[in-house]
Amino acid sequence: MGILDAFNPLSPTGFLANLNGTFPERLIPDGLIPSIADRVPATQRVMLTEFFPVLLLFYALAVLVQLPNTRVLRLSILPAMGTLAWRVSTRYDFDGSDEPGYNLTSMTVCWFLSFLMLRATDFATTTKPFVRERFSALPANVPKDFPTQLKGALLNAFDLTFNARGIGWNWGKGIYVPPSSDPIPSQGALDFLVAFVKTQVFFDFVLFAQQSWDLSPSKYPTHRYGGTIFNPDLPPLLRYGKVIAMTFICPVGLYTSFQATYYAIGFIAMTVFGQVGEQWPPLFRAPWSATSLGDFWGVRWHQVFKRPFVVCGAKPAARFFGRMGGVLGAFFVSGIMHDFGVWGAGLGTELSSVTLFFFMMGVGCVLEVLWREKTGLKVQGPWGWLWTMAWLFFWGSWIVDAWARRGLIISKMSADGARPALYWVKVAQRWVELHGQPLQ
């Protein structure tokens, strides 16, 4: 048994391997989260009468949060939205198939609605109205009467619903936005469309590379087409090399997937709503260059979730446990949100892998602060980079393994007929058939 196996609870020879039952699920009381088996297929009627009203209530909160003296009304809307979002997330199956790759949609719905509820909580509880200081739908010199304010709020709410970093809003000033590497005027709708196509093609090849690995049987909750990334039959060097490679490919896939989605939404915003490139600054800042965990999570990784995690996690925890507790609270809420998405994919939650990964990112950030306070030295430079990558890769292997066992790696994120990587494979196979030896 190797060192990584000894400390990884999901390894076939790890320290939890001899526990009876499924350890992650035993951490949650029975009945708190409904059984996956109780879900029924989502129909068009469900989408119109239950899913769409959640979006409508969220839009209503986005309007009201811009208007003064609406906090009581906002707080009264929040429970209704939460109840409906919980019902939609836990009662309905949005995939409708147990075939390989068809469990991504339900996971996405659970993740999306949980993120929406975190933002809705922010909208409902804030004591100061949100003000769009730049790019407002109304000129600055319009009358300040209520009908005009309501009209502006109705129009600006469309931006607020998907503007999670607060670009142009008074509440977004504390969220880091990477500088643009290109002149802003050159970033138009066509640029975003071209960037989307290129990024989506690259993402498909990254996904193909990840899906090319063999997965091994596991005694832990595993989709019938999934498996663990830890293969006990391989010699240590190959075993850990495979784990490191798959752990590396996963964030590359997430990076390109987020980028492609960002470009697609930006393209729609520019062509349909008349927005400009300045409203869509870069999403990332070379996360592979991070020299500390604080640098990675606070600057270089995307900051789309930052404000909801601060409002719903950091601030409440900081009231009881101080600044360090606030850091852990933000990452804990992040873990719960991602874990609920895993529940949507089937086989329940996995706090000991998914939530734990994000919580340990908070622990790492706290350790960096303590190091600086004790030594006066900031975590940075080559040694800071090594520390950051080691911490990310070690704990990252746990969450990648959880996703692999739940079948997310084999998910059909694009139709097979529209995948450039699969088309390239067919071309390569045809070339070999005509000019060389068949692929083994």
Side-chain angles (χ1 to χ4, degrees):
M1 181 175 69
I3 294 177
L4 289 181
D5 288 328
F7 286 98
N8 196 315
L10 300 176
S11 167
T13 56
F15 66 84
L16 294 181
N18 295 320
L19 289 179
N20 295 322
T22 56
F23 174 76
E25 280 64 39
R26 294 193 308 173
L27 294 175
I28 300 177
D30 292 338
L32 183 60
I33 297 181
S35 171
I36 292 291
D38 295 334
R39 294 191 301 187
V40 297
T43 62
Q44 186 177 15
R45 182 177 180 276
V46 169
M47 298 299 293
L48 292 176
T49 62
E50 298 190 48
F51 186 85
F52 179 73
V54 175
L55 303 182
L56 192 61
L57 290 173
F58 182 66
Y59 173 76
L61 287 174
V63 173
L64 293 172
V65 74
Q66 302 174 64
L67 302 175
N69 305 318
T70 61
R71 191 166 186 263
V72 174
L73 180 56
R74 284 182 273 128
L75 288 172
S76 66
I77 292 176
L78 185 64
M81 179 181 170
T83 301
L84 195 55
W86 177 259
R87 174 181 169 86
V88 172
S89 301
T90 60
R91 179 172 172 78
Y92 300 108
D93 179 8
F94 290 84
D95 292 295
S97 174
D98 194 37
E99 293 303 309
Y102 289 101
N103 63 345
L104 180 66
T105 306
S106 292
M107 184 203 75
T108 303
V109 169
C110 288
W111 166 82
F112 171 72
L113 290 182
S114 60
F115 174 57
L116 218 62
M117 283 308 305
L118 292 176
R119 293 200 69 199
T121 302
D122 179 21
F123 293 176
T125 58
T126 185
T127 57
K128 297 181 179 180
F130 288 177
V131 179
R132 195 176 185 187
E133 298 177 337
R134 300 182 63 202
F135 315 115
S136 178
L138 295 180
N141 58 352
V142 297
K144 301 300 182 181
D145 57 278
F146 181 77
T148 304
Q149 285 185 328
L150 178 59
K151 177 182 178 182
L154 289 168
L155 295 174
N156 287 325
F158 287 105
D159 177 82
L160 183 57
T161 55
F162 59 80
N163 188 347
R165 291 188 291 173
I167 307 298
W169 292 82
N170 63 334
W171 55 269
K173 296 177 181 178
I175 300 177
Y176 177 80
V177 177
S180 178
S181 58
D182 299 316
I184 290 175
S186 68
Q187 296 296 308
L190 182 59
D191 299 292
F192 270 63
L193 178 61
V194 172
F196 164 74
V197 173
K198 293 192 298 184
T199 308
Q200 184 65 28
V201 170
F202 182 70
F203 164 71
D204 191 59
F205 277 89
V206 174
L207 179 63
F208 176 78
Q210 188 73 301
Q211 293 175 337
S212 299
W213 294 97
D214 290 329
L215 300 175
S216 304
S218 173
K219 67 175 293 183
Y220 292 95
T222 304
H223 189 277
R224 60 174 175 153
Y225 296 106
T228 179
I229 65 176
F230 292 88
N231 186 346
D233 298 328
L234 292 175
L237 185 61
L238 292 179
R239 184 192 317 165
Y240 301 139
K242 174 186 176 182
V243 170
I244 292 172
M246 295 192 70
T247 303
F248 169 77
I249 292 174
C250 186
V252 174
L254 291 174
Y255 173 88
T256 52
S257 175
F258 291 154
Q259 283 281 25
T261 303
Y262 186 70
Y263 288 135
I265 297 175
F267 171 74
I268 295 173
M270 293 180 195
T271 54
V272 177
F273 298 104
Q275 294 194 352
V276 296
E278 192 177 359
Q279 296 174 255
W280 293 87
L283 191 60
F284 295 91
R285 187 180 182 181
W288 49 87
S289 300
T291 56
S292 70
L293 292 169
D295 181 34
F296 181 90
W297 292 110
V299 174
R300 297 187 177 276
W301 197 248
H302 75 81
Q303 302 298 297
V304 171
F305 304 144
K306 179 177 180 178
R307 181 176 171 91
F309 292 163
V310 169
V311 171
C312 300
K315 289 185 176 180
R319 291 193 186 101
F320 296 97
F321 307 106
R323 184 164 61 97
M324 301 299 186
V327 174
L328 296 177
F331 279 100
F332 178 73
V333 169
S334 173
I336 294 297
M337 186 192 79
H338 287 85
D339 221 330
F340 188 53
V342 169
W343 179 90
L347 304 178
T349 58
E350 190 158 307
L351 297 178
S352 64
S353 298
V354 180
T355 297
L356 183 64
F357 165 78
F358 289 98
F359 185 78
M360 292 309 298
M361 294 303 104
V363 171
C365 291
V366 169
L367 291 176
E368 291 180 350
V369 174
L370 294 176
W371 169 265
R372 185 172 184 177
E373 291 179 350
K374 296 297 182 180
T375 67
L377 300 175
K378 182 179 179 181
V379 178
Q380 59 184 353
W383 289 109
W385 182 86
L386 286 173
W387 145 259
T388 302
M389 294 302 117
W391 194 262
L392 287 169
F393 271 73
F394 178 77
W395 297 108
S397 66
W398 299 30
I399 192 172
V400 173
D401 187 79
W403 287 339
R405 286 185 288 103
R406 277 159 166 72
L408 298 182
I409 285 181
I410 64 170
S411 294
K412 292 185 179 296
M413 301 182 188
S414 301
D416 289 346
R419 293 193 59 182
L422 296 185
Y423 179 76
W424 175 83
V425 170
K426 292 179 181 179
V427 171
Q429 289 177 334
R430 180 59 177 166
W431 188 92
V432 170
E433 291 173 359
L434 294 176
H435 304 287
Q437 296 297 322
L439 294 176
Q440 299 299 322

